[in-house]
Amino acid sequence: MSGRTLAYRTVPDDDEHRPVYRRLLQYAFAPERGPDWDDDPHEQPAEFEPRGLYEPSSGVGDTAETETPTASARPREATDVAPGGLVVASALVDFRMRIRGAFRSVGGVTAVASPPEHRRRGHVGTLLDHLHGELRERDVGVAALWPFSHAFYRRFDYGRTNDYVQFEFPPDALDSPAATPDEDGSFRRLAADDPADVEALAVLHEQSAPEPLALDRSPDWWRHRVFRTWTGERFVYGWGDTDDQELRAYLVYGFEEDDPGRTLAVTYWGAADDEAYRQLLTFLRNHDSQVSQVRLFAGDTSLLDRLSDPADDVTTTVKPGPMVRVVDVEAALSRLVTPATDERVVLSVRDPRYDWNDGRFELSVDDGLTTCRRVDADGNVDVDVDIDISALSRVLVGAKSAAALARLGHVAGDADTVAQLDSLLPVESPAPYLREWF
């Protein structure tokens, strides 16, 4: 590439660019399907915005992209580059995510993939700089992703939001009074193309997912990201009272062929109350003739209290979960709901990648909401707390306290001023749990 600047572009949904984009993702995420993955591409939700870095086409000129990645705004469509010049693929997902009690815009970073001939050249870092720059231009202060490697994305100053628990157990492990329902009712298969089903699921999701980082799922998201995977359909069932259409529980799952037998793999679930939760567990129990194992994800270990013999029957694995990054300090830390009344803290934020985040910021309160402004120019302002951008990202979403991160070496300040920061941005309860795969 002779040192030429790569072009950051949107990927057109046409017969030339999209197949190249899809083949690149297929090689990265499903190579076992071979090089001739010729199934029809399924429709993406409106929130999904493909992006890519392209080698500039001959004739475009080495100065086609003169701006630095961190100064980039919304990219042009890739009409001035060759489809085969795609070096790194990605996508932004336009989320609304619950942060400190209110839904805020968050940029989901997904589908980051590069073919082997272009790897280990720093292209992913360049791509992230462009993505983060675009989010900042759109006044979106936070990015989120599911990492293939936490160590890799820590290099780009992402911080972990939460861990999650994976349970695997035989269906008869649910032969327990704590997993046995008391009420009548019925399960029914739900359909992605039925607006009433999608609406009922949306209402239930709002009731059953009150935790920080829950997603405000659009109808498009339900249809294209919950009812199906990238490569196929999922089963979606709901439970409710027999005489009406109100749902009180739902399950989203598929089947996998494993050694020594078939696994029922639950991707998403939700229950409005304890009885509805018991109904879900009984539904899983009734698959004992079809599967040898059930796999279920949760934000805590409370399922162990429902199992007949958790010591012998269940394999419980705690895994590190998704990550977030503040891409604009002022946008991210402004207008957050806070219990503090008159606290004021001056932060010295360390961000090795972005100058706009690297400096001093005053965090205070106005009518129950945080305010954040840069104060570098005020020479009379003393720093209260020194914090790196990864740690600030975790404090922002309520995943960790500043005091806990101080013990890990990511925050510096005297105990009183660190406590002031924790008063402004306390650890969230219930704990943040980003359950969304994207």
Side-chain angles (χ1 to χ4, degrees):
M1 294 179 205
S2 304
R4 291 190 295 174
T5 304
L6 297 176
Y8 178 57
R9 297 288 185 264
T10 65
V11 180
D13 190 10
D14 59 30
D15 292 338
E16 293 185 333
H17 285 84
R18 189 52 67 89
V20 175
Y21 179 84
R22 279 176 43 76
R23 284 197 297 271
L24 198 155
L25 297 187
Q26 179 263 325
Y27 188 89
F29 301 112
E32 70 279 0
R33 300 191 67 177
D36 298 318
W37 192 14
D38 57 1
D39 59 323
D40 293 331
H42 68 275
E43 186 180 355
Q44 297 283 3
E47 294 94 331
F48 187 87
E49 305 174 37
R51 297 288 186 267
L53 283 184
Y54 288 83
E55 183 177 11
S57 302
S58 59
V60 173
D62 291 354
T63 61
E65 286 279 303
T66 57
E67 76 274 13
T68 61
T70 54
S72 62
R74 303 193 188 204
R76 302 194 300 273
E77 195 171 70
T79 55
D80 60 340
V81 292
L86 183 61
V87 171
V88 188
S90 66
L92 283 176
V93 185
D94 186 11
F95 285 146
R96 279 174 46 81
M97 189 179 292
R98 186 181 290 115
I99 297 179
R100 298 196 174 273
F103 285 109
R104 291 168 67 98
S105 293
V106 173
V109 175
T110 187
V112 178
S114 182
E117 63 269 26
H118 292 303
R119 293 174 186 167
R120 301 187 186 280
R121 300 185 187 181
H123 296 327
V124 169
T126 300
L127 174 68
L128 288 172
D129 288 340
H130 278 291
L131 293 169
H132 296 158
E134 180 180 352
L135 290 174
R136 179 174 182 253
E137 190 273 339
R138 290 159 62 162
D139 201 29
V140 177
V142 181
L145 55 76
W146 279 91
F148 78 94
S149 162
H150 286 77
F152 180 84
Y153 281 100
R154 278 199 301 270
R155 289 164 44 193
F156 303 104
D157 306 296
Y158 276 79
R160 195 173 82 257
T161 64
N162 60 272
D163 301 325
Y164 65 98
V165 186
Q166 176 181 290
F167 301 95
E168 291 188 286
F169 51 87
D172 61 11
L174 293 168
D175 287 336
S176 163
T180 303
D182 296 323
E183 298 180 14
D184 293 328
S186 61
F187 276 91
R188 60 186 177 90
R189 178 87 177 269
L190 305 176
D193 58 0
D194 187 333
D197 283 352
V198 173
E199 175 61 24
L201 282 166
V203 171
L204 174 59
H205 178 62
E206 187 174 349
Q207 297 171 343
S208 62
E211 70 275 358
L213 304 187
L215 204 67
D216 182 15
R217 295 175 180 166
S218 70
D220 247 17
W221 194 259
W222 280 105
R223 288 191 292 267
H224 303 305
R225 276 290 180 270
V226 178
F227 275 87
R228 64 168 299 131
T229 69
W230 283 78
T231 58
E233 303 292 332
R234 294 184 176 114
F235 292 98
V236 181
Y237 273 83
W239 177 82
D241 297 331
T242 304
D243 296 331
D244 60 40
Q245 296 296 302
E246 182 181 358
L247 296 180
R248 289 171 56 191
Y250 79 97
L251 272 172
V252 181
Y253 61 94
F255 294 92
E256 299 176 3
E257 295 294 339
D258 294 323
D259 185 16
R262 185 182 292 138
T263 294
L264 189 160
V266 178
T267 308
Y268 298 114
W269 62 272
D273 50 52
D274 188 68
E275 175 64 21
Y277 186 33
R278 292 168 184 255
Q279 294 283 352
L280 290 186
L281 298 180
T282 296
F283 185 85
L284 295 173
R285 169 67 181 90
N286 291 341
H287 283 79
D288 58 323
S289 63
Q290 287 181 276
V291 303
S292 59
Q293 292 284 311
V294 173
R295 183 185 308 133
L296 182 72
F297 299 96
D300 57 38
T301 60
S302 60
L303 177 63
L304 295 176
D305 296 327
R306 309 276 182 169
L307 301 177
S308 56
D309 192 349
D312 292 338
D313 291 339
V314 63
T315 299
T316 305
T317 308
V318 178
K319 296 189 174 186
M323 306 178 84
V324 293
R325 191 201 201 279
V326 169
V327 297
D328 187 293
V329 170
E330 288 182 292
L333 269 66
S334 294
R335 300 193 62 78
L336 297 169
V337 176
T338 176
T341 55
D342 58 357
E343 301 289 355
R344 173 186 172 276
V345 177
V346 175
L347 305 175
S348 176
V349 180
R350 290 175 280 114
D351 189 337
R353 295 192 76 84
Y354 307 130
D355 290 343
W356 62 74
N357 284 338
D358 196 68
R360 297 181 182 185
F361 297 85
E362 181 188 72
L363 186 63
S364 57
V365 185
D366 181 16
D367 196 23
L369 300 176
T370 59
T371 66
C372 182
R373 66 184 184 93
R374 192 170 191 121
V375 292
D376 284 355
D378 189 344
N380 297 319
V381 174
D382 294 327
V383 171
D384 296 316
V385 175
D386 183 89
I387 186 168
D388 65 53
I389 196 70
S390 175
L392 182 62
S393 302
R394 302 180 78 185
V395 170
L396 164 74
V397 299
K400 281 284 187 182
S401 69
L405 291 167
R407 292 191 290 272
L408 297 174
H410 300 291
V411 175
D414 65 54
D416 288 341
T417 55
V418 171
Q420 283 181 289
L421 177 55
D422 280 334
S423 295
L424 281 159
L425 299 175
V427 170
E428 286 277 69
S429 180
Y433 178 45
L434 177 50
R435 66 179 70 199
E436 217 72 35
W437 302 90
F438 56 90

